[in-house]
């Protein structure tokens, strides 16, 4: 029986210093641009208008904004593209052009035109957890993210795990015995 959702390969992308195109400059695009800037991407934006935050980033030189509609050549040099508009025809054009150029396209809330999906993300150093519903249930994906935020390990657990890892490396402890020792150590701290 075939799966009910698209099978995906989960990846974490290093976009620092890489050219990423965002088509659209509304509130949804703003959130994607902010995440890309946090990850160190070189962000180019194409949109006829923009929300204030996007305009400010362009003025500050943090992004390059072309204040006009999308054109196929906008994908030149891009490693990744986000289609974040409310216009179905633009979303489809970006998806087609990205596919023709073999550039992954995250078409926000538009699985038919996407070749990649961004997930709901939980960041709590050193953890980075991303959750995806393959575009089928974005609101539920957000709920799962919020639940995970409450159950990720506390900082003291992370510190204890780092201490144990250093000990295991020094003592050449086999992998098979490490997990049980970690569980016992965390349980003692509770």
């Amino acid at each position: 029986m075939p799966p009910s959702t698209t099978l995906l390969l989960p990846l974490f992308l290093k976009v620092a210093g890489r050219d990423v195109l965002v088509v659209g400059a509304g509130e949804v695009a703003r959130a994607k641009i902010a995440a890309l800037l946090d990850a160190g991407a070189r962000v180019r934006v194409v949109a006829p208008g923009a929300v204030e935050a996007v305009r400010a980033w362009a003025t500050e030189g943090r992004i390059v904004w072309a204040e006009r509609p999308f054109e196929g050549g906008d994908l030149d040099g891009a490693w990744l593209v986000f289609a974040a508009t409310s216009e179905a025809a633009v979303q489809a054009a970006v998806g087609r052009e990205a596919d023709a150029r073999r550039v992954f396209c995250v078409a926000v809330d538009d699985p038919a035109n996407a070749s990649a999906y961004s997930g709901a993300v939980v960041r709590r150093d050193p953890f980075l957890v991303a959750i995806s519903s393959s575009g089928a249930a974005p609101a539920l994906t957000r709920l799962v993210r919020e639940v995970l935020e409450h159950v990720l390990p506390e900082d003291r657990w992370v510190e204890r795990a780092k201490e144990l890892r250093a000990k295991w490396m020094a003592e050449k402890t086999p992998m098979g015995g490490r997990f049980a020792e970690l569980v016992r150590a965390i349980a003692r701290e509770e």
Side-chain angles (χ1 to χ4, degrees):
M1 172 180 235
S4 60
T5 59
T6 304
L7 296 177
L8 301 175
L9 173 68
L11 295 174
F12 292 93
L13 301 176
K14 291 181 181 179
V15 295
R18 297 184 192 265
D19 188 27
V20 178
L21 175 66
V22 178
V23 179
E27 276 303 317
V28 172
R30 182 207 53 78
K32 301 301 180 188
I33 294 166
L36 288 165
L37 289 172
D38 287 346
R42 288 190 319 257
V43 179
R44 290 186 297 115
V45 177
V46 175
V51 297
E52 186 54 40
V54 175
R55 288 178 181 278
W57 289 326
T59 300
E60 295 164 2
R62 295 186 66 200
I63 65 169
V64 174
W65 173 34
E67 191 174 353
R68 60 169 172 72
F70 170 75
E71 299 169 1
D74 291 329
L75 277 160
D76 290 348
W79 288 77
L80 176 67
V81 62
F82 283 78
T85 77
S86 58
E87 298 179 34
V90 175
Q91 294 286 103
V94 173
R96 279 192 310 274
E97 189 66 26
D99 193 49
R101 292 171 177 256
R102 297 182 179 184
V103 174
F104 282 105
C105 176
V106 178
V108 178
D109 204 22
D110 185 7
N113 290 303
S115 56
Y117 304 100
S118 56
V121 175
V122 179
R123 292 179 192 271
R124 188 176 306 154
D125 194 38
F127 296 101
L128 174 61
V129 180
I131 305 107
S132 173
S133 65
S134 302
L140 182 57
T141 302
R142 177 182 173 191
L143 176 61
V144 171
R145 175 189 55 84
E146 290 179 9
V147 169
L148 282 175
E149 285 178 333
H150 294 288
V151 297
L152 277 177
E154 299 173 15
D155 289 342
R156 62 190 171 94
W157 288 15
V158 172
E159 290 309 312
R160 185 64 180 129
K162 287 179 181 177
E163 292 168 7
L164 284 170
R165 184 172 192 275
K167 178 184 124 206
W168 296 330
M169 298 302 284
E171 296 174 356
K172 299 187 181 349
T173 303
M175 294 290 283
R178 296 178 183 182
F179 183 75
E181 185 177 356
L182 174 63
V183 171
R184 285 191 302 275
I186 299 291
R188 279 193 299 270
E189 292 191 19
E190 291 302 307

